[in-house]
Amino acid sequence: MSFVSKAFVSTASGDKYVQQLIKHWSHRFETSYADGEGLVPFSDVASASFTSDPEGIRIVLRTSGAEEAETLRG
């Protein structure tokens, strides 16, 4: 079963922060970034996607369950 958590962070510098997050995680995972959208695949079943827009960053965390989601949020 898949578990999805969503969040929005208000900022005028969304694209800048998405790029920084993807670069940070690229040292441990095969990340991708293009046109304000980034992806961090933590495992075969867990990932985080980041999308910037003029108001901020939309974050979608996909995990195998609520417990894994809570661990990755930390």
Side-chain angles (χ1 to χ4, degrees):
M1 184 164 90
S2 182
F3 188 83
V4 178
S5 301
K6 297 180 181 182
F8 180 79
V9 179
S10 296
T11 180
S13 303
D15 189 53
K16 173 183 153 186
Y17 293 133
V18 169
Q19 288 181 51
Q20 287 177 337
L21 285 165
I22 297 305
K23 184 176 179 180
H24 170 77
W25 285 108
S26 71
H27 300 289
R28 294 186 58 200
F29 303 100
E30 292 292 324
T31 62
S32 62
Y33 173 83
D35 301 323
E37 295 187 16
L39 177 67
V40 180
F42 295 112
S43 70
D44 291 341
V45 295
S47 66
S49 62
F50 304 88
T51 305
S52 66
D53 65 35
E55 290 81 38
I57 304 169
R58 298 188 188 289
I59 304 165
V60 178
L61 179 64
R62 290 179 173 81
T63 61
S64 61
E67 185 175 314
E68 184 180 24
E70 189 62 34
T71 299
L72 288 174
R73 278 190 217 121

